[in-house]
Amino acid sequence: MIRTPLIAIWVVLVTIYFSISAIIVSFITKSGDMPNKVAAIWARFILAASRIKVEVIGLSNIDPSKSYIYMSNHQGNFDIPILQAYLPVQFRWLAKAELFNIPVFGYAMGRAGHISIDRSDLKSALKSLKNAARIIRNGVSVLIFPEGTRSCDGNIRQFKKGGFILSVDSGVPIVPVIIHGLWPLMLKNKVFVRPGNVLLEIKEPIESTEYTRKTKDDLLKKVRYVICESFYSRKREQS
């Protein structure tokens, strides 16, 4: 049980160190690419200390030179390091506003170009989606957890519609991303996990150009089906 508090201390220290590093390099380049490379190193440090090994499949399904909206299931706190470390493309998080209020870390996220969304304020949320669309048009991908918050029981929650509005408005394909095997490793407090192996699966892009705001629910159902079918199929195989 000593290991968990030691990891907690390690996570805090490396987060402060790499957040400051990301802030510093953000003043050197305005693109936000360098801070995100720093974040990838931060994520690998955390995963290594937690002894979480990640295998990635489906990389051939994406073209790193193109913009996508990546949508991933949300199992817990370790989803962010896993995606940051092992999704080998430049992207920006569309993340809840509370994360940007964390001292140092939140400022680093802002400097890196990540997008804050306040789900409690509709006007602010719509403004955030417009900002995300602008970033996508400039050639940068965005990553969203369509569930809005992490799972409370290991199952996939209902999807929120904001990311699908963004997709049909921008005409950018959605890439479903599935994190497998994390939930059984999670401790009851959902902060840290047991050592183990996780699979990160990247599916083929789903085009959004044939959908509109009126038919966005159809796009939502299609993306949800792909994520759920893969997630639950593998879960049944392992049970």
Side-chain angles (χ1 to χ4, degrees):
M1 297 304 293
I2 296 176
R3 181 173 172 271
T4 294
L6 288 177
I7 293 176
I9 294 170
W10 173 253
V11 168
V12 171
L13 291 176
V14 299
T15 298
I16 292 173
Y17 174 81
F18 283 106
S19 293
I20 293 172
S21 300
I23 292 168
I24 292 171
V25 300
S26 73
F27 288 101
I28 300 174
T29 173
K30 294 182 179 181
S31 69
D33 289 357
M34 284 301 294
N36 281 284
K37 290 180 180 179
V38 171
I41 300 171
W42 160 81
R44 286 181 179 265
F45 266 79
I46 291 176
L47 295 172
S50 303
R51 290 188 289 171
I52 299 175
K53 296 181 180 180
V54 181
E55 178 188 358
V56 184
I57 59 174
L59 278 175
S60 61
N61 288 326
I62 56 175
D63 181 348
S65 67
K66 293 184 178 180
S67 296
Y68 300 105
I69 297 175
Y70 294 94
M71 290 193 179
S72 172
N73 60 318
H74 199 2
Q75 293 286 285
N77 293 322
F78 271 71
D79 296 340
I80 291 175
I82 289 168
L83 291 164
Q84 190 73 64
Y86 287 96
L87 193 58
V89 294
Q90 279 289 329
F91 64 87
R92 304 295 180 264
W93 294 95
L94 188 62
K96 59 184 180 181
E98 292 85 349
L99 290 176
F100 291 80
N101 296 328
I102 300 173
V104 185
F105 179 78
Y107 183 64
M109 287 188 67
R111 290 294 306 176
H114 301 299
I115 306 157
S116 169
I117 183 165
D118 185 354
R119 295 193 296 262
S120 65
D121 186 333
L122 179 58
K123 185 176 180 180
S124 174
L126 291 174
K127 184 177 179 181
S128 297
L129 291 175
K130 288 183 180 179
N131 186 30
R134 177 184 58 79
I135 289 174
I136 291 171
R137 285 194 292 270
N138 287 337
V140 178
S141 297
V142 170
L143 195 148
I144 299 172
F145 293 121
E147 295 164 87
T149 188
R150 60 184 181 270
S151 173
C152 58
D153 58 5
N155 292 310
I156 297 176
R157 302 165 66 102
Q158 292 299 313
F159 284 5
K160 298 184 181 299
K161 298 181 181 180
F164 300 93
I165 294 174
L166 175 61
S167 182
V168 298
D169 283 356
S170 63
V172 172
I174 294 173
V175 176
V177 179
I178 305 99
I179 298 172
H180 298 283
L182 180 58
W183 182 261
L185 305 180
M186 297 180 68
L187 298 175
K188 290 182 180 179
N189 60 17
K190 298 185 181 180
V191 177
F192 297 104
V193 299
R194 299 179 179 89
N197 300 317
V198 173
L199 177 66
L200 183 64
E201 182 180 10
I202 302 168
K203 290 291 191 178
E204 293 183 359
I206 296 174
E207 294 295 336
S208 62
T209 51
E210 60 188 76
Y211 297 92
T212 66
R213 284 200 174 197
K214 289 184 178 180
T215 60
K216 67 182 180 299
D217 287 354
D218 295 331
L219 178 59
L220 183 155
K221 291 176 183 176
K222 186 173 184 177
V223 173
R224 181 177 172 80
Y225 173 80
V226 171
I227 291 176
C228 287
E229 194 277 334
S230 177
F231 179 79
Y232 289 114
S233 292
R234 189 170 293 271
K235 193 173 182 181
R236 286 192 294 270
E237 290 174 3
Q238 295 175 342
S239 62

